[in-house]
Structure formats: structure tokens, C-alpha cells
Amino acid sequence: AIWEFSRLIEASGRQPSICTLSVEKKIAVPDENTALELDPHDQEVFSVERLICADGKPIIYSTNISPFSIFLEIPGKMDARLGLHEFLKRYCNQEIARVDVSISPTMAPDNVRETLSLERNRPILRIEEIFRDINRKPLVFAVNYHSDQKLSLLDIRPWHSYG
């Protein structure tokens, strides 16, 4: 997430909740490998897919991919409902220092469209981020699909946060 979506949802007067869809160790696909600047001999990543809701309505489908090597240990059960900052601090002892962001309209993949209960052929926002440490090393490659049918970016960005 560009921001801590849960805090921004709260600031808009709604109740946030996060549902974990999947947590898995896997081999990075090419775009993940490129974004995370992985070594060709170490392409294992940790993937967390989550559904972020406002007042119980799904609004953001989020996938966070991290190099497996940054985790201090993999406990039997991770709390994937934590915000990204807290998750990285708890399980990797890492802090985000910089975020590279790309926002574009797209057609939702079928699994995202079904999960967010979106109409067919309606574009949504794809928010792609690379979270980096103080040395600009990638910690997380995040892909978030945001449905304006459920909550607009202006709704989750309170006016008092500008300026």
C-alpha cells in the first residue's frame, strides 16, 4: 500500500479490516525478480495476498512479495493482518525508507474481479510499489488493485492531510 490503508480508512470514518487470502513461499516470476533485484541463484520469495475492507466491503486486493532472504525466521504462523511497516519490523527487522510508486488503470485479473465483486470490463487502479530500505535495497514489491466502485482514493485520503 502507498499508505497504511487501514489508518486512512479509519480517518475517512470507516472501520478497516484485513483478511489474509494466502501466505506462501515460492519462486519469483520475472516481474517480481526484476522489481526485487533478486540474485539469479536466490529467487525464493515470500508472498502475502490480502483483502482490505472498509466497513466490511472489500476495496483493495493486495499482494506483497518479499525476498525470502530478508526474513529473520519463518514462524509457524505469521500475522499477515499487520500493516506493512509493523510486519517488516516484526518478521524482518527492516524499516521502509523509500517507496517507488506507479499508478495505472487496468482491467482486473479474474481472481481480483471476482474477489472484489467488480463488473466485467470496468477498469480499476493498479498501484504498484517497491518499498526500499535506507540503502535502496528492495524489501517488498506490492501490487494493489483498488476499486473506485467501493471507495475512492479521495475518500481514504483525508483533506487535512494535504499541505
Side-chain angles (χ1 to χ4, degrees):
I2 292 176
W3 316 276
E4 287 287 342
F5 283 126
S6 293
R7 289 184 186 162
L8 293 169
I9 291 168
E10 276 180 350
S12 75
R14 294 170 174 89
Q15 181 63 40
S17 59
I18 298 174
C19 175
T20 304
L21 301 174
S22 71
V23 177
E24 68 177 336
K25 180 181 174 182
K26 66 177 197 151
I27 300 298
V29 297
D31 63 326
E32 297 164 351
N33 185 37
T34 301
L36 293 170
E37 302 170 11
L38 296 176
D39 182 305
H41 304 291
D42 185 15
Q43 296 188 358
E44 288 185 315
V45 294
F46 195 70
S47 171
V48 178
E49 290 188 356
R50 304 180 307 163
L51 186 61
I52 301 169
C53 301
D55 291 339
K57 296 177 185 162
I59 59 167
I60 300 167
Y61 189 105
S62 178
T63 303
N64 293 337
I65 309 290
S66 297
F68 192 74
S69 60
I70 70 169
F71 287 84
L72 300 174
E73 61 181 83
I74 303 298
K77 193 150 184 132
M78 288 186 162
D79 187 357
R81 296 170 299 158
L82 294 173
L84 185 57
H85 294 277
E86 189 175 344
F87 184 88
L88 286 171
K89 187 72 173 164
R90 181 179 295 179
Y91 299 114
C92 307
N93 196 30
Q94 297 282 344
E95 291 191 32
I96 297 167
R98 173 191 170 109
V99 183
D100 300 330
V101 181
S102 173
I103 300 175
S104 60
T106 190
M107 300 307 285
D110 287 341
N111 65 320
V112 172
R113 184 180 50 76
E114 291 168 10
T115 302
L116 293 177
S117 301
L118 301 174
E119 299 169 10
R120 263 190 204 285
N121 301 319
R122 180 178 173 114
I124 63 171
L125 287 180
R126 176 184 163 109
I127 303 171
E128 193 173 285
E129 302 152 301
I130 301 173
F131 294 89
R132 299 177 182 274
D133 68 11
I134 192 76
N135 298 312
R136 297 183 182 232
K137 180 180 177 185
L139 299 172
V140 178
F141 173 52
V143 178
N144 301 293
Y145 293 95
H146 182 281
S147 170
D148 71 341
Q149 289 177 300
K150 306 296 180 182
L151 186 68
S152 77
L153 282 173
L154 292 177
D155 286 338
I156 65 171
R157 183 86 192 250
W159 288 108
H160 59 76
S161 67
Y162 289 97

